[in-house]
Amino acid sequence: MTFPLVGVVGGGQLARMLAPAAIELGVHLHVLAESEDVSATSAARYTVGDYRDLDTLMRFAATVDVLTFDHEHVPTEHLRTLEDSGVAVRPGPEALQYAQDKLKMRGIADELGLPNPVWAAVDSVEALVSFGEEHGWPVVLKTPRGGYDGKGVRVVRTPEEAAETTEWFELDFPALLVEQLVPFSRELSAQVARRPSGEVAIYPIVESLQTDSVCDVVTAPAPGLDPEVAAAAAEAASTLAERLGVVGMLAVELFETPGTGPGFLINELAMRPHNSGHWSMDGAVTGQFEQHLRAVLDLPLGSTQPLGAYTVMKNYLGGANQDLYSAFDRAMSEYPSAKIHVYGKAVRPGRKVGHVNVIAATEQDLDQARAIAEGAASVIRDGVPSADSAR
Protein backbone atom coordinates (compact mmCIF):
# COMPACT_ATOMS: atom_id res chain seq x y z
CA MET A 1 0.00 0.00 0.00
CA THR A 2 1.15 3.52 -0.77
CA PHE A 3 0.04 6.41 1.40
CA PRO A 4 0.75 10.03 0.42
CA LEU A 5 3.46 12.22 1.88
CA VAL A 6 2.26 15.68 2.90
CA GLY A 7 4.84 18.44 3.12
CA VAL A 8 4.27 21.17 5.71
CA VAL A 9 6.15 24.45 5.42
CA GLY A 10 6.81 25.69 8.96
CA GLY A 11 7.51 23.71 12.11
CA GLY A 12 5.29 25.40 14.69
CA GLN A 13 2.55 23.93 16.85
CA LEU A 14 0.09 23.71 13.96
CA ALA A 15 2.44 21.40 12.06
CA ARG A 16 2.99 19.43 15.27
CA MET A 17 -0.76 18.96 15.78
CA LEU A 18 -1.16 17.67 12.22
CA ALA A 19 0.99 14.67 13.17
CA PRO A 20 -1.54 12.69 15.29
CA ALA A 21 -4.22 13.19 12.63
CA ALA A 22 -1.79 12.04 9.95
CA ILE A 23 -0.88 8.93 11.96
CA GLU A 24 -4.55 8.00 12.33
CA LEU A 25 -5.02 8.27 8.56
CA GLY A 26 -1.75 6.49 7.72
CA VAL A 27 -0.55 9.66 6.01
CA HIS A 28 3.12 10.62 6.22
CA LEU A 29 4.34 14.13 7.09
CA HIS A 30 7.55 15.87 6.13
CA VAL A 31 8.06 19.27 7.78
CA LEU A 32 10.29 22.07 6.53
CA ALA A 33 11.33 23.38 9.94
CA GLU A 34 12.96 26.72 10.74
CA SER A 35 15.37 25.08 13.20
CA GLU A 36 15.99 21.86 15.12
CA ASP A 37 14.13 23.07 18.22
CA VAL A 38 10.73 24.11 16.84
CA SER A 39 7.55 22.30 17.91
CA ALA A 40 7.04 19.88 15.05
CA THR A 41 10.51 18.33 15.04
CA SER A 42 9.61 16.02 17.93
CA ALA A 43 6.47 14.78 16.17
CA ALA A 44 7.28 14.27 12.49
CA ARG A 45 10.03 13.74 9.96
CA TYR A 46 11.65 17.08 9.23
CA THR A 47 14.24 18.98 7.25
CA VAL A 48 15.70 22.24 8.51
CA GLY A 49 15.62 24.98 5.91
CA ASP A 50 14.71 28.57 5.08
CA TYR A 51 11.19 28.84 3.62
CA ARG A 52 12.17 32.20 2.08
CA ASP A 53 14.73 30.52 -0.19
CA LEU A 54 13.27 29.24 -3.47
CA ASP A 55 15.90 26.52 -4.02
CA THR A 56 15.22 25.15 -0.54
CA LEU A 57 11.49 25.10 -1.23
CA MET A 58 12.00 23.38 -4.60
CA ARG A 59 14.17 20.65 -3.08
CA PHE A 60 11.71 20.13 -0.25
CA ALA A 61 8.68 20.04 -2.56
CA ALA A 62 10.35 17.35 -4.67
CA THR A 63 10.15 14.98 -1.67
CA VAL A 64 6.38 15.25 -1.09
CA ASP A 65 3.08 14.65 -2.88
CA VAL A 66 1.34 17.82 -1.75
CA LEU A 67 2.52 21.00 -0.04
CA THR A 68 0.66 22.85 2.72
CA PHE A 69 1.52 25.35 5.45
CA ASP A 70 1.91 26.00 9.16
CA HIS A 71 1.92 29.77 8.43
CA GLU A 72 1.26 32.21 5.58
CA HIS A 73 4.70 33.80 5.31
CA VAL A 74 6.16 31.99 2.27
CA PRO A 75 6.79 34.56 -0.50
CA THR A 76 3.90 34.47 -2.98
CA GLU A 77 6.22 34.54 -5.99
CA HIS A 78 7.96 31.39 -4.72
CA LEU A 79 4.64 29.59 -4.42
CA ARG A 80 3.72 30.57 -7.98
CA THR A 81 7.03 29.16 -9.20
CA LEU A 82 6.38 25.92 -7.32
CA GLU A 83 2.89 25.64 -8.76
CA ASP A 84 4.11 26.38 -12.28
CA SER A 85 6.63 23.55 -11.89
CA GLY A 86 3.83 21.09 -11.11
CA VAL A 87 3.84 21.09 -7.30
CA ALA A 88 0.41 20.65 -5.69
CA VAL A 89 0.38 23.76 -3.46
CA ARG A 90 -2.66 23.78 -1.14
CA PRO A 91 -3.90 26.38 -0.59
CA GLY A 92 -2.49 27.79 -3.80
CA PRO A 93 -0.85 31.21 -4.08
CA GLU A 94 -3.86 32.80 -5.79
CA ALA A 95 -5.91 32.05 -2.67
CA LEU A 96 -3.18 32.40 -0.06
CA GLN A 97 -2.29 35.95 -1.12
CA TYR A 98 -5.50 37.16 0.54
CA ALA A 99 -4.39 35.75 3.88
CA GLN A 100 -0.87 37.07 3.39
CA ASP A 101 -1.82 40.65 2.54
CA LYS A 102 -4.49 42.51 4.54
CA LEU A 103 -4.93 45.16 1.85
CA LYS A 104 -5.73 42.49 -0.73
CA MET A 105 -8.04 40.82 1.80
CA ARG A 106 -9.99 44.04 2.35
CA GLY A 107 -10.23 44.59 -1.40
CA ILE A 108 -11.57 41.13 -2.19
CA ALA A 109 -14.10 41.30 0.65
CA ASP A 110 -15.44 44.55 -0.84
CA GLU A 111 -15.47 42.99 -4.31
CA LEU A 112 -17.50 40.04 -3.04
CA GLY A 113 -19.93 42.31 -1.20
CA LEU A 114 -18.95 41.00 2.24
CA PRO A 115 -19.13 43.20 5.36
CA ASN A 116 -15.89 45.13 5.89
CA PRO A 117 -14.90 47.98 8.20
CA VAL A 118 -14.33 51.30 6.46
CA TRP A 119 -10.70 51.14 5.32
CA ALA A 120 -8.05 52.63 3.06
CA ALA A 121 -4.48 52.14 1.92
CA VAL A 122 -2.31 54.98 3.24
CA ASP A 123 1.32 55.80 2.45
CA SER A 124 1.99 58.78 4.73
CA VAL A 125 1.12 60.36 8.04
CA GLU A 126 -0.83 62.97 6.11
CA ALA A 127 -2.98 60.30 4.45
CA LEU A 128 -3.56 58.68 7.85
CA VAL A 129 -4.69 61.99 9.35
CA SER A 130 -6.94 62.64 6.35
CA PHE A 131 -8.63 59.25 6.88
CA GLY A 132 -9.13 59.93 10.58
CA GLU A 133 -10.56 63.38 9.93
CA GLU A 134 -12.96 62.02 7.33
CA HIS A 135 -14.14 58.87 9.12
CA GLY A 136 -13.59 59.74 12.77
CA TRP A 137 -11.04 58.90 15.44
CA PRO A 138 -9.78 56.51 16.70
CA VAL A 139 -8.51 54.43 13.79
CA VAL A 140 -6.44 51.23 13.56
CA LEU A 141 -3.19 51.20 11.60
CA LYS A 142 -1.92 47.81 10.41
CA THR A 143 1.03 46.48 8.46
CA PRO A 144 -0.37 44.61 5.44
CA ARG A 145 1.88 41.59 5.98
CA GLY A 146 3.46 39.74 8.86
CA GLY A 147 1.33 40.81 11.82
CA TYR A 148 -0.30 38.35 14.23
CA ASP A 149 -1.38 38.23 17.87
CA GLY A 150 -1.52 42.02 18.03
CA LYS A 151 1.85 42.55 16.30
CA GLY A 152 1.81 45.03 13.42
CA VAL A 153 -1.31 46.72 14.81
CA ARG A 154 -1.55 50.19 16.38
CA VAL A 155 -4.58 52.14 17.58
CA VAL A 156 -4.25 55.82 16.66
CA ARG A 157 -6.62 58.04 18.62
CA THR A 158 -5.80 61.59 17.54
CA PRO A 159 -3.96 63.57 14.84
CA GLU A 160 -1.22 64.09 17.41
CA GLU A 161 -0.81 60.32 17.83
CA ALA A 162 -0.82 59.96 14.05
CA ALA A 163 2.20 62.27 13.91
CA GLU A 164 4.04 59.68 16.05
CA THR A 165 3.68 56.91 13.43
CA THR A 166 6.36 58.20 11.05
CA GLU A 167 8.52 55.10 11.53
CA TRP A 168 5.63 52.88 10.41
CA PHE A 169 5.73 54.53 6.99
CA GLU A 170 9.44 53.83 6.76
CA LEU A 171 8.82 50.07 6.81
CA ASP A 172 9.24 48.11 3.61
CA PHE A 173 5.62 48.39 2.44
CA PRO A 174 4.24 50.54 -0.40
CA ALA A 175 1.23 51.33 1.80
CA LEU A 176 -0.28 50.47 5.18
CA LEU A 177 -3.86 49.57 6.03
CA VAL A 178 -5.97 51.94 8.09
CA GLU A 179 -9.45 51.04 9.36
CA GLN A 180 -12.11 52.57 11.49
CA LEU A 181 -11.97 51.22 15.03
CA VAL A 182 -14.97 48.90 15.13
CA PRO A 183 -17.25 49.15 18.20
CA PHE A 184 -17.90 45.41 18.45
CA SER A 185 -19.58 43.38 21.18
CA ARG A 186 -17.24 40.36 20.92
CA GLU A 187 -15.01 38.53 18.48
CA LEU A 188 -16.23 35.51 16.55
CA SER A 189 -14.60 33.06 14.19
CA ALA A 190 -16.05 31.12 11.27
CA GLN A 191 -14.17 28.06 10.06
CA VAL A 192 -14.75 26.09 6.90
CA ALA A 193 -12.82 23.46 5.00
CA ARG A 194 -12.76 23.07 1.22
CA ARG A 195 -11.27 20.36 -0.98
CA PRO A 196 -10.11 20.87 -4.60
CA SER A 197 -13.21 19.18 -6.01
CA GLY A 198 -15.32 21.88 -4.32
CA GLU A 199 -16.88 20.19 -1.28
CA VAL A 200 -17.14 22.55 1.71
CA ALA A 201 -17.62 21.62 5.38
CA ILE A 202 -18.72 24.29 7.86
CA TYR A 203 -17.95 24.34 11.58
CA PRO A 204 -20.13 26.13 14.15
CA ILE A 205 -19.38 29.82 14.62
CA VAL A 206 -17.34 30.27 17.80
CA GLU A 207 -16.74 33.04 20.31
CA SER A 208 -13.11 34.06 20.74
CA LEU A 209 -12.05 36.05 23.80
CA GLN A 210 -8.75 37.92 23.51
CA THR A 211 -6.36 38.98 26.26
CA ASP A 212 -3.63 41.45 25.26
CA SER A 213 -4.47 40.74 21.59
CA VAL A 214 -3.85 36.99 22.04
CA CYS A 215 -6.60 34.38 21.82
CA ASP A 216 -7.41 33.31 25.38
CA VAL A 217 -10.70 31.36 25.49
CA VAL A 218 -12.82 29.95 22.67
CA THR A 219 -16.37 28.73 23.19
CA ALA A 220 -17.96 26.57 20.49
CA PRO A 221 -20.59 27.32 19.41
CA ALA A 222 -20.73 31.01 20.34
CA PRO A 223 -23.24 31.31 23.22
CA GLY A 224 -26.34 33.35 22.50
CA LEU A 225 -25.45 34.06 18.87
CA ASP A 226 -28.44 35.02 16.75
CA PRO A 227 -29.05 32.08 14.35
CA GLU A 228 -29.41 34.51 11.44
CA VAL A 229 -26.03 36.07 12.23
CA ALA A 230 -24.48 32.61 12.54
CA ALA A 231 -25.91 31.56 9.18
CA ALA A 232 -24.72 34.77 7.49
CA ALA A 233 -21.23 34.40 8.96
CA ALA A 234 -21.01 30.79 7.79
CA GLU A 235 -22.20 31.86 4.34
CA ALA A 236 -19.55 34.60 4.19
CA ALA A 237 -16.81 32.09 5.07
CA SER A 238 -18.11 29.63 2.47
CA THR A 239 -18.24 32.37 -0.14
CA LEU A 240 -14.63 33.29 0.53
CA ALA A 241 -13.51 29.65 0.39
CA GLU A 242 -15.33 28.99 -2.87
CA ARG A 243 -14.65 32.26 -4.70
CA LEU A 244 -10.97 32.37 -3.73
CA GLY A 245 -10.41 28.67 -4.40
CA VAL A 246 -9.17 27.88 -0.89
CA VAL A 247 -8.00 24.32 -0.31
CA GLY A 248 -7.71 23.25 3.32
CA MET A 249 -8.95 25.03 6.42
CA LEU A 250 -10.05 28.66 6.28
CA ALA A 251 -10.64 30.72 9.44
CA VAL A 252 -12.49 34.02 9.10
CA GLU A 253 -12.07 36.17 12.20
CA LEU A 254 -15.09 38.43 12.76
CA PHE A 255 -16.28 41.36 14.85
CA GLU A 256 -19.85 40.92 16.11
CA THR A 257 -21.74 44.19 15.55
CA PRO A 258 -25.35 43.73 16.72
CA GLY A 259 -27.86 45.84 14.82
CA THR A 260 -25.40 46.74 12.05
CA GLY A 261 -25.70 45.10 8.63
CA PRO A 262 -25.65 41.31 8.94
CA GLY A 263 -24.44 41.62 12.54
CA PHE A 264 -20.70 41.20 11.90
CA LEU A 265 -17.69 42.60 10.07
CA ILE A 266 -14.71 40.67 8.71
CA ASN A 267 -11.49 41.12 10.67
CA GLU A 268 -8.83 38.81 9.21
CA LEU A 269 -8.32 35.53 7.32
CA ALA A 270 -6.12 32.49 7.99
CA MET A 271 -5.81 29.69 5.42
CA ARG A 272 -4.64 26.89 7.70
CA PRO A 273 -5.74 25.34 10.99
CA HIS A 274 -6.32 28.17 13.45
CA ASN A 275 -6.25 28.75 17.20
CA SER A 276 -10.01 29.35 17.20
CA GLY A 277 -10.49 25.83 15.86
CA HIS A 278 -8.46 23.91 18.45
CA TRP A 279 -11.70 23.10 20.29
CA SER A 280 -12.58 20.71 17.45
CA MET A 281 -9.70 18.37 18.31
CA ASP A 282 -11.83 16.99 21.17
CA GLY A 283 -15.20 18.65 20.60
CA ALA A 284 -16.19 17.69 17.04
CA VAL A 285 -16.52 14.46 15.08
CA THR A 286 -13.73 15.64 12.80
CA GLY A 287 -11.04 17.92 14.24
CA GLN A 288 -9.61 20.72 12.14
CA PHE A 289 -6.23 19.02 11.71
CA GLU A 290 -7.71 15.83 10.26
CA GLN A 291 -10.04 17.98 8.18
CA HIS A 292 -7.13 19.99 6.78
CA LEU A 293 -5.35 16.80 5.72
CA ARG A 294 -8.53 15.42 4.15
CA ALA A 295 -8.98 18.66 2.24
CA VAL A 296 -5.44 19.02 0.87
CA LEU A 297 -5.49 15.35 -0.18
CA ASP A 298 -8.92 15.83 -1.83
CA LEU A 299 -10.54 13.20 0.39
CA PRO A 300 -14.22 13.42 1.42
CA LEU A 301 -14.56 15.89 4.28
CA GLY A 302 -15.60 14.70 7.72
CA SER A 303 -18.58 15.64 9.85
CA THR A 304 -18.22 18.89 11.81
CA GLN A 305 -20.95 17.89 14.27
CA PRO A 306 -20.11 18.94 17.87
CA LEU A 307 -19.82 16.16 20.47
CA GLY A 308 -21.43 18.20 23.25
CA ALA A 309 -23.59 21.24 23.78
CA TYR A 310 -20.41 23.35 24.02
CA THR A 311 -16.65 22.94 24.01
CA VAL A 312 -14.40 25.40 25.84
CA MET A 313 -10.81 25.85 24.67
CA LYS A 314 -8.43 27.67 27.02
CA ASN A 315 -4.95 28.67 25.87
CA TYR A 316 -2.15 28.81 28.40
CA LEU A 317 0.88 31.00 27.90
CA GLY A 318 4.29 30.68 29.44
CA GLY A 319 4.16 31.50 33.16
CA ALA A 320 5.82 30.70 36.45
CA ASN A 321 6.04 26.94 35.87
CA GLN A 322 9.00 26.07 33.64
CA ASP A 323 8.44 22.29 33.86
CA LEU A 324 4.96 21.81 32.38
CA TYR A 325 5.02 18.03 32.73
CA SER A 326 5.60 18.29 36.48
CA ALA A 327 2.08 19.77 36.78
CA PHE A 328 0.33 17.02 34.83
CA ASP A 329 -0.30 14.75 37.81
CA ARG A 330 -2.15 17.46 39.71
CA ALA A 331 -3.96 18.87 36.67
CA MET A 332 -5.17 15.46 35.54
CA SER A 333 -6.14 14.37 39.04
CA GLU A 334 -8.11 17.51 39.85
CA TYR A 335 -9.62 18.00 36.37
CA PRO A 336 -10.09 14.56 34.78
CA SER A 337 -12.49 15.88 32.15
CA ALA A 338 -9.89 18.34 30.80
CA LYS A 339 -8.06 17.33 27.62
CA ILE A 340 -4.54 18.74 27.85
CA HIS A 341 -2.47 19.69 24.79
CA VAL A 342 1.16 20.82 24.92
CA TYR A 343 3.14 22.33 22.04
CA GLY A 344 6.66 21.18 22.92
CA LYS A 345 7.98 24.74 23.08
CA ALA A 346 10.38 26.35 25.56
CA VAL A 347 8.42 28.24 28.21
CA ARG A 348 8.65 32.02 27.88
CA PRO A 349 6.31 34.67 29.31
CA GLY A 350 3.51 35.46 26.90
CA ARG A 351 4.31 32.57 24.55
CA LYS A 352 1.56 30.08 23.63
CA VAL A 353 2.71 26.75 25.00
CA GLY A 354 -0.51 24.71 25.04
CA HIS A 355 -4.27 24.59 25.46
CA VAL A 356 -6.98 22.73 27.34
CA ASN A 357 -10.31 21.52 25.92
CA VAL A 358 -13.38 20.74 28.05
CA ILE A 359 -16.74 19.54 26.72
CA ALA A 360 -19.97 20.74 28.32
CA ALA A 361 -22.58 18.03 27.82
CA THR A 362 -25.48 20.45 28.33
CA GLU A 363 -25.99 24.21 28.26
CA GLN A 364 -26.19 24.19 32.05
CA ASP A 365 -22.67 22.74 32.22
CA LEU A 366 -21.03 25.62 30.33
CA ASP A 367 -19.93 27.68 33.34
CA GLN A 368 -18.45 24.62 34.99
CA ALA A 369 -16.62 23.68 31.77
CA ARG A 370 -15.11 27.15 31.64
CA ALA A 371 -13.96 26.88 35.24
CA ILE A 372 -12.46 23.44 34.66
CA ALA A 373 -10.57 24.67 31.59
CA GLU A 374 -9.23 27.69 33.47
CA GLY A 375 -8.33 25.57 36.50
CA ALA A 376 -6.43 22.94 34.54
CA ALA A 377 -4.63 25.60 32.48
CA SER A 378 -3.60 27.51 35.60
CA VAL A 379 -2.21 24.39 37.27
CA ILE A 380 -0.01 23.76 34.24
CA ARG A 381 0.92 27.41 33.72
CA ASP A 382 1.58 28.40 37.33
CA GLY A 383 1.57 25.20 39.35
CA VAL A 384 -1.56 26.30 41.24
CA PRO A 385 -5.28 26.36 40.31
CA SER A 386 -7.09 29.63 39.74
CA ALA A 387 -9.28 31.00 42.55
CA ASP A 388 -12.51 30.40 40.65
CA SER A 389 -11.64 26.94 39.32
CA ALA A 390 -13.96 23.95 39.79
CA ARG A 391 -13.47 20.23 39.42
Side-chain angles (χ1 to χ4, degrees):
M1 292 186 295
T2 301
F3 283 81
L5 179 58
V6 176
V8 185
V9 178
Q13 65 257 30
L14 301 181
R16 177 188 176 94
M17 287 185 279
L18 280 169
I23 289 169
E24 290 180 356
L25 295 173
V27 172
H28 306 287
L29 289 188
H30 187 187
V31 174
L32 181 63
E34 296 84 347
S35 65
E36 296 275 352
D37 60 354
V38 293
S39 294
T41 57
S42 62
R45 173 188 171 192
Y46 68 94
T47 296
V48 174
D50 186 351
Y51 63 83
R52 297 164 296 187
D53 179 70
L54 178 58
D55 289 340
T56 297
L57 286 170
M58 293 291 286
R59 289 193 299 271
F60 178 73
T63 70
V64 302
D65 297 303
V66 59
L67 196 68
T68 190
F69 308 96
D70 171 86
H71 58 72
E72 293 99 344
H73 305 317
V74 180
T76 311
E77 62 272 18
H78 290 359
L79 297 179
R80 291 195 175 106
T81 300
L82 289 171
E83 198 168 61
D84 290 344
S85 70
V87 177
V89 180
R90 295 175 177 168
E94 297 312 308
L96 194 61
Q97 63 178 326
Y98 297 107
Q100 294 174 320
D101 190 309
K102 295 180 180 66
L103 285 169
K104 289 183 178 180
M105 179 268 293
R106 286 281 174 243
I108 197 64
D110 277 354
E111 185 179 323
L112 295 175
L114 300 175
N116 250 343
V118 176
W119 67 280
V122 291
D123 59 6
S124 66
V125 170
E126 292 74 21
L128 173 60
V129 171
S130 178
F131 180 90
E133 294 296 300
E134 180 180 356
H135 299 289
W137 303 95
V139 301
V140 182
L141 187 64
K142 298 181 179 181
T143 57
R145 288 176 174 260
Y148 66 96
D149 286 348
K151 300 176 178 68
V153 177
R154 179 169 178 169
V155 177
V156 182
R157 301 185 181 281
T158 64
E160 290 74 24
E161 287 189 15
E164 299 171 0
T165 65
T166 302
E167 70 279 5
W168 280 59
F169 293 97
E170 296 171 351
L171 299 172
D172 191 23
F173 301 110
L176 303 178
L177 172 65
V178 61
E179 305 171 349
Q180 276 190 317
L181 184 67
V182 175
F184 60 91
S185 58
R186 58 178 169 173
E187 294 189 53
L188 305 171
S189 183
Q191 276 201 305
V192 300
R194 182 180 177 275
R195 59 189 285 210
S197 55
E199 181 189 7
V200 173
I202 303 170
Y203 285 86
I205 309 301
V206 305
E207 174 188 89
S208 179
L209 300 179
Q210 312 289 311
T211 300
D212 296 329
S213 300
V214 177
C215 181
D216 186 13
V217 179
V218 169
T219 305
L225 183 61
D226 185 322
E228 291 187 4
V229 174
E235 180 63 27
S238 296
T239 296
L240 284 163
E242 292 168 353
R243 296 290 292 276
L244 302 185
V246 174
V247 174
M249 291 297 304
L250 167 68
V252 184
E253 297 179 59
L254 306 166
F255 297 124
E256 185 181 25
T257 55
T260 302
F264 65 90
L265 295 171
I266 291 172
N267 181 16
E268 294 184 359
L269 307 181
M271 293 181 191
R272 51 172 169 74
H274 189 258
N275 200 166
S276 65
H278 290 351
W279 69 273
S280 65
M281 298 171 72
D282 303 299
V285 172
T286 310
Q288 66 167 343
F289 294 97
E290 178 185 343
Q291 197 80 285
H292 187 73
L293 290 172
R294 287 186 182 219
V296 301
L297 292 169
D298 204 15
L299 293 170
L301 301 180
S303 169
T304 59
Q305 181 70 29
L307 297 178
Y310 292 98
T311 300
V312 177
M313 190 284 302
K314 165 68 178 175
N315 277 330
Y316 53 92
L317 310 184
N321 181 24
Q322 291 291 307
D323 182 2
L324 301 181
Y325 184 73
S326 69
F328 276 19
D329 186 281
R330 182 174 181 180
M332 292 177 177
S333 296
E334 295 190 4
Y335 307 100
S337 62
K339 299 288 288 185
I340 297 169
H341 299 266
V342 182
Y343 302 157
K345 297 158 71 172
V347 176
R348 294 201 300 265
R351 188 186 200 190
K352 291 179 187 174
V353 291
H355 71 270
V356 173
N357 285 334
V358 179
I359 295 176
T362 69
E363 186 173 354
Q364 290 70 36
D365 297 326
L366 178 56
D367 287 343
Q368 184 183 38
R370 286 172 172 154
I372 291 170
E374 173 59 41
S378 68
V379 168
I380 299 168
R381 180 185 63 237
D382 302 323
V384 294
S386 63
D388 60 350
S389 62
R391 296 179 185 177

